[in-house]
Amino acid sequence: MDLSTELKGRDFISLHDFTRAEISLIIDTAMGLKKELKSGILHPYLAGKTLGMIFQKSSTRTRVAFEVGMYQLGGHALFLSPRDIQLGRGESIKDTALVLSRMLEGIMIRTFSHDEVLELAKWADIPIINGLTDLLHPTQVIGDMQTITEYKGGVEGIKLAFVGDGNNVAHSLLFGGAKMGMHVSIACPPGYEPDAGVLRLAEEDARQSGARLSVVHDPLVAVEGADVVYTDVWASMGQEGEAAEKEQHFMQYQVNKRLMSVAHKDAIVLHCLPAKRGKEITDEVLDGPQSAVFDEAENRLHAHKAIMALVM
Ligand code: CP
Ligand code: NVA
């Protein structure tokens, strides 16, 4: 596979920072790398390079995908827990960025405040990859759009309904959909709408791409005729204290067989995982014939490899 050098050196922090052509390039690269891997073709595009991975929050998929992905690309990944590195004892992000830039070729960070990622990117002179913040989860949505492309032949004109909290995943779906011409309808309880600033920026992009974006309170309205039904936990990492209260508000927002009956008959179901089975999604749907959730999880590997191979 001929790897494009167009994105070399770029940070991967928000899908809003990328053009439609650039996002398509990342998805196409992910699909190409997946094909090569399945055919046993080695692709050490990052031989000799090292990725540092700072995790201030837990992770199964993101960590394993970046670590295994880096190995498959011929490089090395370092897991940097805040318990062990000096950042956790108060060393500044600026100094951390300046030092790590002398030793690594890229940094992936998962943290709470989105500003921390921006601060890291401001001082680092190596690519910074956003592995999830309270605001955004862009690497997830590359894997999601890859999955939708595999099932539906593309993302343009696809109708995606996100049912649940207007959270980081919802925000990245809005940004990704808006760039790519995918219609995104968010159904959430009053008071749990997506961030107004994210929505405003996404709407600007949507005017260019023809994507229709909407926020509604009735899940049936969002899911009616949808090609993709997406959900996520009601309480994200860092909101554990609000989980019980949130549950009261989200009971009507469960993705179950009844809700799926109004979606397009060939609709697929996505969930970024981890799931709270029996809460935002039933076992019946998660394990059912319309679920593409475990393909979606696998695609994080290919998507992350594409991001690393293109920017590092
Ligand atoms: N979807 C996702 O990012 O999963 P992890 O939290 O396990 O990385
Ligand atoms: N919204 C979830 C996504 C987890 C991958 C969270 O932030 O916890």
Side-chain angles (χ1 to χ4, degrees):
M1 199 173 136
D2 267 341
L3 211 57
S4 160
T5 53
E6 205 185 311
L7 298 179
K8 210 45 77 206
R10 287 274 295 274
D11 295 320
F12 184 85
I13 294 178
S14 168
L15 294 176
H16 182 66
D17 303 335
F18 291 84
T19 63
R20 181 181 184 142
E22 289 169 342
I23 295 172
S24 293
L25 170 67
I26 302 172
I27 298 169
D28 290 347
T29 304
M31 294 177 80
L33 289 170
K34 181 173 184 175
K35 212 163 146 190
E36 284 192 350
L37 183 74
K38 306 267 177 196
S39 328
I41 300 170
L42 295 178
H43 40 223
Y45 297 120
L46 296 181
K49 297 196 175 177
T50 309
L51 175 80
M53 308 189 296
I54 302 172
F55 279 96
Q56 309 270 28
K57 291 178 174 176
S58 307
S59 170
T60 297
R61 281 143 289 270
T62 307
R63 177 181 173 178
V64 175
F66 273 110
E67 196 161 331
V68 171
M70 200 54 189
Y71 169 74
Q72 292 177 359
L73 289 167
H76 183 67
L78 269 181
F79 177 70
L80 304 171
S81 144
R83 273 213 308 274
D84 306 318
I85 58 171
Q86 300 285 9
L87 186 65
R89 289 184 58 249
E91 185 169 17
S92 71
I93 293 186
K94 174 180 171 178
D95 290 350
T96 304
L98 293 173
V99 172
L100 293 183
S101 295
R102 303 289 184 102
M103 302 186 190
L104 301 170
E105 281 74 35
I107 301 171
M108 189 244 75
I109 178 166
R110 165 171 288 197
T111 191
F112 294 86
S113 155
H114 193 71
D115 287 343
E116 251 174 57
V117 179
L118 299 176
E119 172 82 359
L120 191 66
K122 177 177 166 192
W123 296 107
D125 52 21
I126 53 177
I128 301 300
I129 299 171
N130 175 4
L132 179 147
T133 63
D134 289 345
L135 189 71
L136 298 174
H137 195 5
T139 67
Q140 174 70 50
V141 171
I142 295 292
D144 297 342
M145 292 195 292
Q146 180 189 347
T147 310
I148 295 167
T149 303
E150 288 172 353
Y151 276 84
K152 301 286 169 197
V155 293
E156 185 173 13
I158 289 292
K159 186 179 172 210
L160 181 143
F162 178 94
V163 183
D165 190 23
N167 63 14
N168 44 11
V169 172
H171 292 155
S172 285
L173 285 167
L174 283 167
F175 276 155
K179 287 280 179 181
M180 303 302 287
M182 176 172 74
H183 312 307
V184 179
S185 185
I186 310 275
C188 59
Y192 295 97
E193 290 86 0
D195 178 81
V198 168
L199 205 54
R200 198 170 46 246
L201 288 176
E203 270 160 1
E204 282 170 21
D205 288 339
R207 275 193 284 280
Q208 304 283 314
S209 71
R212 289 192 303 273
L213 308 179
S214 62
V215 178
V216 298
H217 295 135
D218 185 346
L220 290 167
V221 169
V223 173
E224 174 95 61
D227 304 298
V228 181
V229 180
Y230 199 124
T231 189
D232 183 14
V233 288
W234 295 332
S236 286
M237 289 181 276
Q239 301 180 335
E240 287 75 10
E242 298 160 49
E245 200 219 316
K246 279 187 117 175
E247 220 171 89
Q248 311 289 319
H249 294 102
F250 281 83
M251 281 313 206
Q252 304 307 313
Y253 294 81
Q254 183 185 67
V255 174
N256 51 33
K257 236 181 144 179
R258 194 176 59 88
L259 185 60
M260 285 308 296
S261 72
V262 302
H264 191 284
K265 67 172 179 22
D266 297 326
I268 59 165
V269 174
L270 298 181
H271 188 312
C272 57
L273 300 176
K276 288 252 191 263
R277 287 171 174 263
K279 300 290 184 193
E280 75 273 4
I281 190 165
T282 57
D283 284 332
E284 197 178 22
V285 172
L286 186 50
D287 300 324
Q290 287 172 288
S291 173
V293 170
F294 295 97
D295 291 326
E296 177 189 15
E298 178 194 324
N299 282 339
R300 300 294 299 291
L301 171 67
H302 312 298
H304 296 184
K305 284 170 70 178
I307 295 164
M308 290 190 287
L310 291 168
V311 304
M312 282 177 69

